[in-house]
């Protein structure tokens, strides 16, 4: 038996908005400790790793480890039926082939439940090594979303260059070039608005806008985002989800072509 | 024309060996394309109102059209194609070629009849069957590829065998062909529908040889023998042995030799003078150029050269050719997107075993942690 109850149901709605455009389907690995999801997009360029700890739920029970393969479009359709202030409960029997979503209105007067068929997915799981990143940039998530959106008007790639002076996002294309520089915030009035750079070595990497824009769908989950970079390894874009966990996106960088290719 | 019914058999017996994928997901991959098959494919398929495209002098240009646009489509999607042309056919193929010639004759007669009767549909059908790839066609295609900056390889013998050798040597990611015998030659990854037109919206089908073998529970040698039983280009097969029986026989007896010793000869008579050993040898040690000697280089397209050749000699529209050349040049200059698989290792068989083994450990660790924390959920 698996049951997870979330009073703040809107979190689950937002989580789904943050992954459904990148992934068509995914396996939710439910264990005693909580729920995890790891999946790559079809092109194997990016990876989503979602972690929701059991403690973060208002009620959580998982008697046996359970892998639930879900079609995320269908799941999103169902979650659209929940109001933002609804309490959401996800339930499944052991070895079941369906999962049930129950939505309760805050005053308990309306209760709806939806059952969805599960899928058998064979997905490749990747082992992600622990990496010490050369630079970690923390900034307001809204700011990051804005930068990605604005720069994607110029070209299909964004160059992120991090030095001790600050971080520079740039793009170039047919209409011209665009550069956005953010300096480390000196005085901290509001913690959520600060730009915080932890730098060991300067790093410059190039990434596809298309994916960054899909990552920023998670903006609603958190006021802050952190970008971790090291030369020639995937970028990590991490959004904390309250106290209950986080969602991390990994993105392979663009590689300059060498001549013999 | 490949192995009879192999793709269906794979779909039935080893479904997880087949994956469908969109073309754009193959960016950055080098792919060997069986040029002889493509030539034929284009001559058959690239048509207008049932006729092949021609210049004013009646020279066919369907194949050039096909090579030009389908190659651009691949390059546009970030794929790096290398074409492999057939050399001389192996002696063993004589029988198959004779059969094909016979079929051509039948089609020729049928075409004449259809023309007499004025049946447009039949004329179209039979004229397609009469398509023949000539030396000139492939020479023209090579000239075009040179101008486009796309490398090609001339196989000493069968193109599929050369493609397979390139893929095995790691020179290319996979082989794009419709002929399933590329797998019999040992291609690790076979891609179908790569050279189809955009309009057909066919996803690319990917066949993985290792998965085919592991799911069919066969070794490569047994797989080759099974393909011969299914029916290949080099020799006849046993009458009455279809795909289902073929795989069963090979699974039980491991080789054609033993199959022959054990099978009921009255019910399933093997062809007289059956050179299956020769065929097996052709699949195992085909005549190919050593892949380590082959250097693949993608170069800048020669726009002016393309215009002179395609527009001046072959009557294509200049705008379109220039556009195509620009696309080729642009694709060359963009940086390639990396893939996560090249950074992170795929955990072995994520499906059942790995998860089952991994999860209990984690669960235990967490149970300890949990005891300290809240025990609110034990209630139920």
């Amino acid at each position: 038996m698996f049951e997870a109850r979330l009073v703040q149901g809107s979190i689950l709605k937002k989580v789904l908005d943050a992954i459904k455009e990148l992934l068509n389907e995914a396996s939710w690995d439910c264990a005693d400790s909580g729920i995890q999801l790891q999946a790559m997009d079809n092109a194997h360029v990016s990876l989503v790793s979602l972690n929701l700890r059991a403690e973060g739920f208002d009620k959580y029970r998982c008697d046996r480890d359970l892998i639930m393969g879900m079609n995320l479009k269908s799941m999103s359709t169902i979650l659209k039926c929940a109001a933002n202030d609804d309490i959401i409960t996800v339930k499944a029997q052991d070895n079941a082939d369906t999962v049930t979503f129950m939505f309760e209105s805050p005053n308990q007067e309306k209760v709806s439940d939806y059952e969805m068929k599960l899928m058998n997915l064979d997905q490749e799981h990747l082992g992600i090594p622990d990496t010490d990143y050369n630079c970690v940039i923390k900034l307001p998530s809204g700011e990051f979303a804005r930068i990605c959106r604005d720069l994607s008007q110029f070209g299909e790639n964004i160059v992120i260059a991090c030095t001790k002076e600050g971080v520079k996002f740039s793009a170039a294309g047919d209409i011209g070039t665009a550069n956005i520089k953010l300096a480390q915030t000196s005085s901290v009035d509001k913690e959520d608005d600060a730009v915080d750079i932890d730098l060991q070595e300067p790093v410059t990497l190039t990434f596809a806008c298309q994916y960054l824009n899909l990552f920023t769908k998670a903006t609603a989950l958190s006021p802050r985002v952190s970008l971790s970079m090291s030369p020639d390894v995937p970028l990590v874009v991490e959004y904390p989800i309250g106290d209950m966990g986080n969602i991390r996106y990994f993105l392979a960088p663009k590689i300059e072509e060498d001549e013999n290719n | 024309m490949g192995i009879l019914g192999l793709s269906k058999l794979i779909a039935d017996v080893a479904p997880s060996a087949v994956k469908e994928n969109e073309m754009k997901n193959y960016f950055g991959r080098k792919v060997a394309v069986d040029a002889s098959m493509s030539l034929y494919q284009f001559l058959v398929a690239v048509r207008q109102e049932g006729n092949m495209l021609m210049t004013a002098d009646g020279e066919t240009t369907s194949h050039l059209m096909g090579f030009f646009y389908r190659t651009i489509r691949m390059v546009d999607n970030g794929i790096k194609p290398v074409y492999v042309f057939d050399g001389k056919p192996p002696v063993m193929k004589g029988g198959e070629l004779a059969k094909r010639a016979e079929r051509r004759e039948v089609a020729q007669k049928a075409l004449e009849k259809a023309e007499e009767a004025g049946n447009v549909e039949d004329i179209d059908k039979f004229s397609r069957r009469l398509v023949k790839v000539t030396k000139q066609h492939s020479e023209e295609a090579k000239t075009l590829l040179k101008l486009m900056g796309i490398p090609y390889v001339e196989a000493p013998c069968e193109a599929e065998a050369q493609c397979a050798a390139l893929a095995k040597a790691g020179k290319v990611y996979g082989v794009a062909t419709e002929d399933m015998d590329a797998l019999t030659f040992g291609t690790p990854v076979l891609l179908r529908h790569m050279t189809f037109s955009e309009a057909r919206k066919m996803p690319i089908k990917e066949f993985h040889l290792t998965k085919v073998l592991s799911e069919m529970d066969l070794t490569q040698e047994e797989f080759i023998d099974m393909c011969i039983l299914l029916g290949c280009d080099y020799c006849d097969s046993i009458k009455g042995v279809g795909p289902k029986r073929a795989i069963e026989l090979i699974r039980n007896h491991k080789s054609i030799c033993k199959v022959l010793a054990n099978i009921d000869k009255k019910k399933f008579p093997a062809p007289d003078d059956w050179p299956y050993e020769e065929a097996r040898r052709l699949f195992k040690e085909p005549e190919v150029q050593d892949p380590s000697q082959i250097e693949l280089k993608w170069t800048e397209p020669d726009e002016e050269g393309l215009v002179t050749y395609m527009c001046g000699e072959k009557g294509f529209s200049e705008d379109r050719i220039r556009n195509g050349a620009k696309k080729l040049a642009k694709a060359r200059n963009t940086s390639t997107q990396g893939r996560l698989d090249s950074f992170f290792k795929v955990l072995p068989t994520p499906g059942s075993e790995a998860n089952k083994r991994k999860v209990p450990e984690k669960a235990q660790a967490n149970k300890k942690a949990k005891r300290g924390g809240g025990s609110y959920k034990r209630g139920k």
Side-chain angles (χ1 to χ4, degrees):
Chain A
M1 170 84 182
F2 169 79
E3 189 176 339
R5 181 179 158 96
L6 199 57
V7 171
Q8 219 184 325
S10 59
I11 292 180
L12 196 60
K13 283 166 72 91
K14 287 178 195 159
V15 164
L16 219 67
D17 286 338
I19 58 175
K20 70 164 199 279
E21 280 176 59
L22 212 49
L23 310 169
N24 296 324
E25 58 245 342
S27 299
W28 300 73
D29 299 339
C30 306
D32 202 21
S33 55
I35 303 175
Q36 282 182 327
L37 177 152
Q38 195 214 65
M40 277 188 281
D41 69 300
N42 277 335
H44 290 198
V45 170
S46 67
L47 177 135
V48 181
S49 167
L50 170 74
N51 184 14
L52 299 171
R53 282 189 289 273
E55 291 82 2
F57 291 90
D58 300 283
K59 187 166 154 195
Y60 188 91
R61 173 179 169 193
C62 182
D63 300 342
R64 291 180 57 186
D65 294 336
L66 196 65
I67 297 173
M68 295 194 284
M70 296 193 202
N71 178 317
L72 297 182
K73 298 275 172 311
S74 314
M75 185 178 174
S76 163
T77 311
I78 290 176
L79 288 177
K80 285 236 165 67
C81 303
N84 272 333
D85 54 358
D86 274 359
I87 300 161
I88 297 182
T89 310
V90 185
K91 280 189 284 197
Q93 297 297 328
D94 292 337
N95 299 323
D97 51 6
T98 59
V99 59
T100 306
F101 297 94
M102 187 171 81
F103 309 142
E104 299 162 74
S105 65
N107 55 16
Q108 308 284 328
E109 277 169 3
K110 178 181 165 195
V111 178
S112 35
D113 57 86
Y114 297 83
E115 201 175 80
M116 185 177 83
K117 289 196 194 82
L118 293 176
M119 326 167 66
N120 270 326
L121 301 174
D122 61 334
Q123 286 183 321
E124 292 171 318
H125 272 243
L126 293 183
I128 300 164
D130 283 326
T131 313
D132 284 326
Y133 287 93
N134 283 8
C135 74
V136 178
I137 308 151
K138 294 197 173 105
L139 70 159
S141 61
E143 183 76 70
F144 180 60
R146 179 76 200 257
I147 290 170
C148 294
R149 200 188 67 206
D150 289 352
L151 291 189
S152 59
Q153 314 287 327
F154 285 81
E156 53 189 51
N157 295 329
I158 291 183
V159 180
I160 306 179
C162 192
T163 58
K164 60 180 190 300
E165 279 80 44
V167 55
K168 187 173 88 174
F169 300 86
S170 39
D174 292 341
I175 52 173
T177 57
N179 293 293
I180 299 173
K181 269 185 234 159
L182 296 180
Q184 175 140 354
T185 321
S186 43
S187 63
V188 186
D189 297 335
K190 267 165 81 186
E191 231 168 72
D192 278 352
D193 292 341
V195 175
D196 180 32
I197 298 167
D198 179 8
L199 181 98
Q200 315 292 330
E201 296 269 345
V203 188
T204 302
L205 286 174
T206 308
F207 300 101
C209 284
Q210 180 204 348
Y211 287 95
L212 293 174
N213 275 324
L214 290 176
F215 297 170
T216 59
K217 303 280 179 219
T219 303
L221 280 168
S222 163
R224 301 286 286 166
V225 59
S226 83
L227 316 176
S228 309
M229 299 199 298
S230 270
D232 301 323
V233 301
L235 162 83
V236 190
V237 179
E238 179 176 339
Y239 294 87
I241 304 173
D243 300 328
M244 74 186 301
N246 60 19
I247 182 163
R248 283 180 300 161
Y249 299 94
F250 295 83
L251 176 60
K254 292 259 184 168
I255 304 159
E256 280 310 317
E257 204 80 354
D258 45 356
E259 249 323 288
N260 12 340
N261 265 345
Chain B
M1 285 292 104
I3 307 295
L4 208 67
L6 180 58
S7 64
K8 196 172 172 300
L9 183 68
I10 291 176
D12 288 346
V13 183
S16 77
V18 191
K19 273 191 219 157
E20 282 196 358
N21 228 327
E22 278 174 80
M23 192 167 196
K24 61 172 200 274
N25 293 345
Y26 288 92
F27 60 81
R29 301 265 198 227
K30 292 174 193 168
V31 171
V33 187
D34 176 354
S36 311
M37 195 226 52
S38 316
L39 267 174
Y40 185 79
Q41 196 186 13
F42 297 146
L43 285 171
V44 171
V46 182
R47 274 157 190 259
Q48 208 167 29
E49 286 155 16
N51 290 316
M52 280 192 253
L53 308 177
M54 287 185 213
T55 60
D57 324 332
E59 242 185 281
T60 317
T61 54
S62 281
H63 56 301
L64 294 177
M65 175 92 165
F67 265 90
F68 189 66
Y69 285 110
R70 308 279 163 91
T71 305
I72 286 178
R73 182 173 170 227
M74 280 191 258
V75 173
D76 223 13
N77 280 291
I79 298 167
K80 296 175 155 190
V82 42
Y83 285 90
V84 180
F85 286 88
D86 262 339
K88 59 172 195 335
V91 186
M92 296 279 296
K93 217 172 175 173
E96 169 72 17
L97 294 178
K99 263 190 228 160
R100 283 186 201 169
E102 231 169 79
R103 281 202 294 264
R104 292 178 61 81
E105 252 166 62
V106 174
Q108 178 75 47
K109 283 200 188 111
L111 177 65
E112 278 162 23
K113 230 187 249 168
E115 269 170 352
E116 249 170 61
N119 186 336
V120 183
E121 219 169 272
D122 278 2
I123 293 178
D124 187 37
K125 187 163 105 193
F126 291 116
S127 69
R128 279 174 202 246
R129 284 195 198 164
L130 279 174
V131 165
K132 195 164 191 286
V133 175
T134 64
K135 189 125 195 120
Q136 197 198 350
H137 289 143
S138 46
E139 286 311 319
E140 285 171 348
K142 284 176 202 168
T143 314
L144 174 63
L145 290 174
K146 231 181 261 165
L147 290 169
M148 290 172 81
I150 306 289
Y152 64 82
V153 176
E154 282 177 68
C157 199
E158 292 262 56
E160 287 107 316
Q162 184 70 55
C163 288
L166 284 171
K168 267 194 278 187
K171 286 264 176 183
V172 296
Y173 169 77
V175 176
T177 176
E178 305 305 309
D179 286 357
M180 293 299 287
D181 53 1
L183 283 179
T184 324
F185 282 115
T187 305
V189 183
L190 186 149
L191 306 164
R192 285 187 113 177
H193 312 331
M194 190 59 111
T195 48
F196 278 20
S197 103
E198 178 98 63
R200 286 176 72 176
K201 295 226 165 36
M202 283 282 244
I204 288 167
K205 257 196 179 154
E206 204 177 306
F207 293 81
H208 288 262
L209 183 60
T210 46
K211 282 200 180 148
V212 169
L213 295 180
S214 70
E215 262 184 65
M216 287 190 168
D217 199 18
L218 299 176
T219 62
Q220 177 69 20
E221 271 92 48
E222 291 162 8
F223 181 70
I224 292 175
D225 275 13
M226 190 195 71
C227 289
I228 296 173
L229 279 182
L230 286 174
C232 64
D233 292 349
Y234 304 133
C235 61
D236 291 324
S237 56
I238 306 178
K239 259 216 172 84
V241 176
K244 239 184 145 170
R245 195 159 270 141
I247 188 167
E248 215 165 90
L249 286 171
I250 292 292
R251 269 182 187 158
N252 291 338
H253 305 301
K254 305 290 174 210
S255 75
I256 292 186
C257 244
K258 295 209 182 97
V259 167
L260 283 178
N262 284 296
I263 199 170
D264 180 352
K265 292 221 172 65
K266 277 192 199 114
K267 244 165 120 190
F268 303 110
D272 312 328
D273 183 24
W274 194 26
Y276 68 88
E277 275 170 349
E278 266 302 289
R280 186 195 288 161
R281 199 187 52 79
L282 269 177
F283 278 123
K284 268 170 84 173
E285 300 147 14
E287 193 186 341
V288 291
Q289 209 184 328
D290 181 5
S292 60
Q293 305 291 316
I294 299 172
E295 211 184 316
L296 305 175
K297 260 211 150 87
W298 286 264
T299 53
E300 203 71 39
D302 176 0
E303 187 175 329
E304 292 313 316
L306 275 171
V307 169
T308 335
Y309 182 67
M310 291 292 273
C311 309
E313 285 180 41
K314 302 293 175 192
F316 280 80
S317 125
E318 186 172 336
D319 278 357
R320 293 191 178 195
I321 299 300
R322 281 197 190 277
N323 259 333
K326 292 227 167 62
K327 274 191 185 165
L328 284 172
K330 189 181 159 227
R332 255 185 71 76
N333 294 327
T334 44
S335 51
T336 342
Q337 172 68 55
R339 274 197 176 73
L340 281 177
D341 334 30
S342 50
F343 297 104
F344 300 150
K345 252 200 239 103
V346 177
L347 297 174
T349 38
S352 43
E353 293 159 334
N355 268 333
K356 265 179 204 146
R357 246 181 280 129
K358 212 178 59 191
V359 175
E361 282 173 27
K362 242 198 262 164
Q364 268 172 8
N366 284 312
K367 252 178 217 149
K368 271 180 215 151
K370 184 118 333 111
R371 248 163 239 152
S375 59
Y376 46 88
K377 68 173 171 171
R378 294 280 141 123
K380 235 182 183 178

